[in-house]
Amino acid sequence: MRAVTSPADAAQYTAALAARYHEVRALSLALAEPLSAEDQCVQSMPDASPTKWHLAHTTWFFETLALRASLPGYRPFSEAFAYLFNSYYESLGARQARPERGLLTRPPLSEVLQYRAQVDEAMDALLATSIPVELAATIELGIQHEQQHQELILTDVKHLFSRNVLLPAHSAASQRPRTAPVALAWIEFEGGRCEVGHAGAGFAFDNECPRHAVLLPPFCLANRPTTCGEYLAFIADDGYRRPEFWLSDAWATVQAQGWRAPLYWREIDAEWHIFTLHGERLLDADEPVCHLSFYEAAAFANWAGARLPTEFEWEAAIGSAACDGHFIEAGRLHPEAAHPGTGLLQRFGDVWAWTRSSYDPYPGFRPFSGRASEYNGKFMVGQLVLRGGSCATPAGHVRASYRNFFPPAARWQFSGLRLAREC
Amino acid sequence: MRAVTSPADAAQYTAALAARYHEVRALSLALAEPLSAEDQCVQSMPDASPTKWHLAHTTWFFETLALRASLPGYRPFSEAFAYLFNSYYESLGARQARPERGLLTRPPLSEVLQYRAQVDEAMDALLATSIPVELAATIELGIQHEQQHQELILTDVKHLFSRNVLLPAHSAASQRPRTAPVALAWIEFEGGRCEVGHAGAGFAFDNECPRHAVLLPPFCLANRPTTCGEYLAFIADDGYRRPEFWLSDAWATVQAQGWRAPLYWREIDAEWHIFTLHGERLLDADEPVCHLSFYEAAAFANWAGARLPTEFEWEAAIGSAACDGHFIEAGRLHPEAAHPGTGLLQRFGDVWAWTRSSYDPYPGFRPFSGRASEYNGKFMVGQLVLRGGSCATPAGHVRASYRNFFPPAARWQFSGLRLAREC
Amino acid sequence: MRAVTSPADAAQYTAALAARYHEVRALSLALAEPLSAEDQCVQSMPDASPTKWHLAHTTWFFETLALRASLPGYRPFSEAFAYLFNSYYESLGARQARPERGLLTRPPLSEVLQYRAQVDEAMDALLATSIPVELAATIELGIQHEQQHQELILTDVKHLFSRNVLLPAHSAASQRPRTAPVALAWIEFEGGRCEVGHAGAGFAFDNECPRHAVLLPPFCLANRPTTCGEYLAFIADDGYRRPEFWLSDAWATVQAQGWRAPLYWREIDAEWHIFTLHGERLLDADEPVCHLSFYEAAAFANWAGARLPTEFEWEAAIGSAACDGHFIEAGRLHPEAAHPGTGLLQRFGDVWAWTRSSYDPYPGFRPFSGRASEYNGKFMVGQLVLRGGSCATPAGHVRASYRNFFPPAARWQFSGLRLAREC
Amino acid sequence: MRAVTSPADAAQYTAALAARYHEVRALSLALAEPLSAEDQCVQSMPDASPTKWHLAHTTWFFETLALRASLPGYRPFSEAFAYLFNSYYESLGARQARPERGLLTRPPLSEVLQYRAQVDEAMDALLATSIPVELAATIELGIQHEQQHQELILTDVKHLFSRNVLLPAHSAASQRPRTAPVALAWIEFEGGRCEVGHAGAGFAFDNECPRHAVLLPPFCLANRPTTCGEYLAFIADDGYRRPEFWLSDAWATVQAQGWRAPLYWREIDAEWHIFTLHGERLLDADEPVCHLSFYEAAAFANWAGARLPTEFEWEAAIGSAACDGHFIEAGRLHPEAAHPGTGLLQRFGDVWAWTRSSYDPYPGFRPFSGRASEYNGKFMVGQLVLRGGSCATPAGHVRASYRNFFPPAARWQFSGLRLAREC
């Protein structure tokens, strides 16, 4: 948290926090707006949650961690919601089993929207007072938390729609700009002693801390993410049928799941189509490949004679570059082809980059204190780190030190890759 | 089918068919009316289907078997619906996988209601013409089919609601009449050569035919279904913990599922509660026990020193009694205690009676001809016969020869038992 | 049991029982003799048991039901064996889980053989005394029980060997006699009131009782079991790819298991081979098809425009014919082509005939009393009846009223079919 | 590989290699010697393999990688063995499915022993010639490979025996020395820039390379592994029932598996017993706890207010200490209490130490070239690193840079932990 040094400063900070609160809360509703109550209720797989559940859970987070503790006289909207909308906080009591979030036809969406309204009103009351820094930190965490769920609202409803032969669209596509394809090029980095992780005044998750130094050999990164066209060459070269490119668990998964292409790709009459949040359309060879598992990203890199970068190579290469890119606010909701340019293109946004780093704790890692202690630390096994955000990430949410993480077989996120190699 | 012998007779018959068509179609909507679009969309287990799917599937049945074939110029509402709302007819093409019916947030409920309206209108047009007897038989089958799904609408939504800690009610309970409990008594039947199965003019399913004779030893039936109070004594005597009462597969299921009481029973502070379509309430010891599997029904009978009747004993005992009882139209949607009386009480309605008969074909069984050939015959393995209908069966739908069937572990139907024994 | 009316008669009876005991016990060892200790130790699937386990379990049966109860001073070989070699008798205590019988590398085979020797010696002592009829009945049951396990020894080791690419043989094949193929012909039976089930002096299982009358319409049976050649025509006509022939559960199984032919069939370079207890060889079109599931037998019958007989049709057709046929003692261990003849050929032996009858209790069924009460009754759900015995059944073990039973998907028994149809 | 610089040097090297070859091969047979053919044939879970399979597979490794390629005129023992005894080498062809290694009652153990003898003889012939360094490296790899399987022979048969209520012993226990317990103490390490990984002349696996520098903060390690007594305190403090100590996947596993203590622990009448390769006995509070999963090791460390070391902390702390300790040759086959002393005790042997490091590739990692390329690299996901060897590791096999790895839920290895913490 930023240091707050005077009452005027504090008031200004709180006002800014309130403004951000409302902006983020409004975006959640805007993302849900094109969806019917039915669309928002159903769960298409255990990993995905219904939109309605996301809307309620993010609200529960503010109610439970901020309002119940800190707003005198606050009366919870419903005691049952503590059970229904707790995600995974063992210390906060029993909860709806994750694979059964889609059974909740009640409360109806309308009631969840009332819940949001009541909590927003109470948060206004809270934010009109002088709040201690710990509480401000909790509210900031709640905002960041809701931004994470915004991305999940989109990836989860995309999965749901993909399982319906009607192939519904979340929203209409806007015109995609056409530019000349950007050729693959390698950028060299000298490595050496590099500082990684978060330090300083802004918000960061506990898993980005503490900032520390690592030693890196020299390395090269591709100037842009891998494209669908490049991935098609891997498929055409029987990439999915040749075990030599795959990790052992990966190959077992390819066999068991019958994978033959990224998630949401479909070959119709010898032409590849792709399902997007705007419906199904022809594949664009120039756009970044996404909806890959770590297994596929690593196999592709092997096939290409390269490898995935470590999370520290990625972070060192990004350095202090501005966090601009193609994010959720652009409304495109699908990665786009790189625009011509020099240096590392598409550093942030478009597609998350799988790294070759397991999601392990940093030296001296300490979980958030208090009720949010389960936020990140307990997931530090069996997952791989992704970096950089995607077209479904809210602008301002990611940063160079941001560590996203998913199991190696997960494909329903906007996950792609950027190649690395020794120089 | 009834023989139709003159044009006037035919017109009268068709008019009656049209009236029944509308009555049945209206009841489906009435059953769904208390449910939100969300409630009607979700599937709580592979065996159960969403209400919306039931409403669409029964409509698809008329469209596919009557309108497409027989109404000149009929244009199907949507080609995709042939895939989405086919249940299990292999001969009618590929279809939505059964466990994935709950993924269909699209079409929305409103569109399914339009679908029903279009098909109803077209059926009116069809029924305004002179129709051949084969078509009349198909329409009659469609009506009977929709009645079967009416019961499933209720049992399926009951299961859905039971999985929600809010324990929603489908509708408000009406006052239940209180009468003196009816003591268990045994009625003797002499057996001998008995005719079973359907013959005559009225509608019957193919699985009830042909009518044929069986030989039965003398037997006794209980005067009424087993009550919750009687079943409580079985539980209290450690019925669920003593393997000697259970079939081998049954005992394995009890262990694997952790069964300790019928479905929808819950012990709260040493008092048994029961979840109904009107919400949860205290158990009534006098009402018929239901939501039993065959396994439990058979184990209870063993414990009681009795047995389940065969389906032929049940049918012979019923004889030609009128098919009156407590059905769906009464709006109670839960079995009720027997009213004092003599002879076999609650012959029809209240709870389906599990029998000790496997669902095998009758001698000389022939499936329906044509597109409905898959209706019953292909399920004749691994299931047990139930008889008599329940509080969720439409009046007029069951008869003495009616054979319902479910796998031995199924519990979400209104399934109970009536004891039998040697005399 | 046969009535025993004098001391001399009793002594003679006991002597005969002792002789049969030794004959049967010796056959078990003879069947195991070609197998190594390793072969006898391994379990290839949960349904199958190791030979060593069969040898010990059948011994445990005599020890537990006869010696412990009735031989004064008998000291059990090992208390642990009561746990290790109990099969499914809940009333006789906890036991080794069925799928884990193959974990028992200890006791070694040599110790199991000592166990057999000790029990045989003690049984000799017991049979040298004057024994009550109940005990004689128990010993007779133990003999019949061991005969059932003799068939399982062969079917279980056949399954084990089939899973090894070395395709080992249990024993060498003898020359198979070549005869002219027997054309399919239909034999008519008039049906009517028929007595079925066991009555009289000889041994029978409880599930064959009581003898009772059934009514049968006229029917026809094929003169011999279906042959491999006939079954090949079903395969060639895409029988495994056309759902219209299959029961619903059957079709789901075909899809899930990828069935394309009977168990143990393999196509090599467009020629069908079959794995037998003598190793793999070319298929013989004239021999009876076996290792079919009920699902396949019923689908074949549908395809052939016929059906499976009910168990009562089969029994009525057999009538009082002598139980002769091709049994285990012939040493062929595989069904053989019918020899030319008239009437019903291959009534007994060669292949078990799947019937269209679920394995339900007979009217008035009572389980064996005492410790053997779990023998048959608790399996009376979810299974289908087979009749007639096979090439792996001991001679003298089957009879017209004998009811074998297996779940509808089981294929590792010598199970085939004989067609039936309306006349 | 060590540099070989003259013919005399080469001859000496080859002679030494031959001697080591025979020594290692003999140890495998010695470990199997107490086991019957039955014991050596059975597979108790998919992760474990039969002893016979280990004996054959290690032989196949030499035959396939050395003899077939390099010994002129060598005739493979059996072409089928290439299928039966290939473990996971996709590039070397199809193979017996891993969970089905226990189905191989054929070839019999006697034939596998002949196989070993033939290969040993041919290896003698090969090693009597002048061999190129690549071949020497392959043979060295085969030796190291067989040493890895020696540990697995013991852990796999231990698992098998633990599943048998007879609780057989692999061998008799020798007297265990009793010493005063060693109190837990913390040793400080300053961290900083540390070299890790292998360099130099001796053998190392590809996954230990290249040697590279890492930056470590100061840290403390416990002077000895965690003991059973310390672990008992965790159990007594409800460690297995309090989610706050556990990673999320770990907690799910504890719930699903019902874990309440380490593998092979059993409470009998309020006293803890432990199953060892010498049978079951009372737990010794002073001996190192083992048969822990990573999940349990990490939960214990959390409970203790400490953490697991990273693999680099462990390696830096060991430095260049001699690789002495309590290994397989001691014949104790169970970890023993630390002997009093100063500094880091039990650096090597006794129990593998779980680390907090995922098994990721080192910077610049290159798999072995040629046929052994699949040896390690393809397993670098979803596993955690263990360090230091155990009482079941052959002496001379481990070293400071040695990286063992298993999935986080694996418990059947001799896996324990040594605590770490910030200083």
Side-chain angles (χ1 to χ4, degrees), chain A residues 34-45 52 78 80-81 83-84 96 100 102-110 160-161 163-166 168-170, chain B residues 34-45 52 78 80-81 83-84 96 100 102-110 160-161 163-166 168-170:
Chain A
L35 304 173
S36 71
E38 294 172 67
D39 295 334
Q40 296 192 44
C41 187
V42 167
Q43 179 172 33
S44 57
M45 65 168 170
K52 181 172 74 174
S78 155
F81 284 20
Y83 178 91
L84 295 174
Q96 182 80 0
E100 300 183 0
L103 298 181
L104 302 176
T105 63
R106 312 288 177 93
L109 175 59
S110 56
L160 171 65
F161 282 174
R163 303 294 305 278
N164 190 322
V165 291
L166 299 176
H170 169 274
Chain B
L35 304 173
S36 71
E38 295 172 67
D39 294 334
Q40 297 190 43
C41 187
V42 167
Q43 179 172 32
S44 58
M45 64 168 172
K52 182 172 73 175
S78 156
F81 284 18
Y83 178 91
L84 295 174
Q96 183 79 0
E100 300 184 359
L103 297 181
L104 302 176
T105 63
R106 313 287 178 93
L109 176 59
S110 55
L160 170 65
F161 282 174
R163 301 296 304 277
N164 189 322
V165 291
L166 299 176
H170 170 274

Side-chain angles (χ1 to χ4, degrees), chain C residues 53-375:
Chain C
W53 190 90
H54 286 299
L55 294 178
H57 165 68
T58 49
T59 305
W60 164 90
F61 194 95
F62 287 110
E63 185 181 64
T64 305
L65 274 70
L67 297 176
R68 282 186 190 243
S70 305
L71 184 62
Y74 179 75
R75 293 188 49 194
F77 187 83
S78 155
E79 285 305 331
F81 285 18
Y83 178 91
L84 295 174
F85 301 120
N86 177 2
S87 53
Y88 54 65
Y89 296 86
E90 301 279 349
S91 66
L92 299 177
R95 71 212 72 89
Q96 183 79 358
R98 183 176 184 128
E100 300 184 0
R101 290 175 183 167
L103 297 181
L104 302 177
T105 62
R106 313 285 178 95
L109 175 59
S110 55
E111 191 174 332
V112 166
L113 296 178
Q114 288 165 20
Y115 180 39
R116 288 184 70 90
Q118 168 175 320
V119 165
D120 286 351
E121 197 172 327
M123 286 295 293
D124 275 339
L126 185 63
L127 285 162
T129 66
S130 169
I131 59 174
V133 286
E134 293 77 12
L135 179 55
T138 294
I139 294 169
E140 179 63 44
L141 178 61
I143 289 171
Q144 298 284 342
H145 170 257
E146 183 142 351
Q147 289 184 309
Q148 293 183 309
H149 281 274
Q150 288 167 350
E151 180 147 10
L152 294 174
I153 284 173
L154 290 176
T155 56
D156 292 359
V157 83
K158 182 173 183 178
H159 185 265
L160 171 65
F161 282 173
S162 77
R163 302 297 303 279
N164 189 324
V165 291
L166 300 175
L167 292 175
H170 170 274
S171 48
S174 51
Q175 187 71 27
R176 285 182 301 134
R178 301 299 316 185
T179 62
V182 175
L184 178 69
W186 295 97
I187 318 272
E188 292 189 25
F189 297 90
E190 62 185 9
R193 189 181 194 284
C194 302
E195 295 282 325
V196 295
H198 179 81
F203 173 84
F205 287 109
D206 50 5
N207 63 11
E208 304 169 50
C209 301
R211 187 165 174 87
H212 63 289
V214 296
L215 294 177
L216 300 177
F219 62 97
C220 286
L221 288 189
N223 61 329
R224 54 154 177 76
T226 295
T227 64
C228 290
E230 289 162 344
Y231 201 83
L232 276 169
F234 168 66
I235 295 176
D237 196 28
D238 276 338
Y240 279 94
R241 293 191 184 85
R242 293 167 62 185
E244 64 261 39
F245 304 130
W246 298 80
L247 289 159
S248 180
D249 286 358
W251 185 241
T253 304
V254 166
Q255 304 295 100
Q257 303 292 328
W259 286 351
R260 290 289 173 264
L263 185 63
Y264 303 139
W265 287 34
R266 186 160 69 129
E267 204 171 13
I268 308 173
D269 297 337
E271 281 197 310
W272 282 102
H273 292 64
I274 188 168
F275 178 69
T276 77
L277 282 162
H278 311 310
E280 195 177 58
R281 62 161 166 80
L282 276 173
L283 189 72
D284 175 350
D286 296 337
E287 72 192 14
V289 62
C290 72
H291 297 298
L292 295 183
S293 62
F294 166 79
Y295 291 148
E296 290 162 298
F300 172 83
N302 262 350
W303 170 83
R307 60 173 176 80
L308 298 177
T310 66
E311 61 170 322
F312 301 129
E313 288 172 336
W314 188 93
E315 188 170 341
I318 293 296
S320 57
C323 295
D324 48 12
H326 169 207
F327 294 117
I328 202 173
E329 289 78 2
R332 299 267 170 74
L333 308 185
H334 201 76
E336 295 189 353
H339 289 248
T342 57
L344 279 185
L345 305 175
Q346 296 176 301
R347 285 178 175 91
F348 293 99
D350 283 308
V351 288
W352 288 98
W354 281 110
T355 73
R356 192 59 182 89
S357 297
S358 294
Y359 179 48
D360 284 344
Y362 282 178
F365 166 70
R366 289 274 172 275
F368 284 135
S369 59
R371 296 182 170 187
S373 65
E374 299 181 51
Y375 203 98

Side-chain angles (χ1 to χ4, degrees), chain A residues 289-353:
Chain A
V289 62
C290 71
H291 297 299
L292 295 184
S293 62
F294 166 79
Y295 291 147
E296 290 162 298
F300 172 83
N302 261 353
W303 170 84
R307 60 173 175 81
L308 297 178
T310 67
E311 60 170 325
F312 301 129
E313 289 172 335
W314 187 94
E315 187 170 341
I318 293 295
S320 56
C323 296
D324 48 13
H326 169 208
F327 293 118
I328 202 173
E329 289 79 1
R332 298 268 170 73
L333 307 186
H334 201 76
E336 294 188 354
H339 289 248
T342 58
L344 280 186
L345 304 174
Q346 297 177 301
R347 285 177 175 91
F348 293 99
D350 282 307
V351 287
W352 288 98

Side-chain angles (χ1 to χ4, degrees), chain B residues 5 22 90 95 105 111 151 166 183 185 188-189 208 228 234 252 256 258-259 266 276 295 299 327 368 381:
Chain B
T5 53
H22 285 292
E90 301 280 350
R95 73 214 70 91
T105 63
E111 192 174 331
E151 182 147 7
L166 299 176
E188 291 190 25
F189 297 90
E208 304 169 52
C228 289
F234 169 66
W259 287 350
R266 186 160 68 129
T276 76
Y295 291 147
F327 293 117
F368 285 136
V381 72

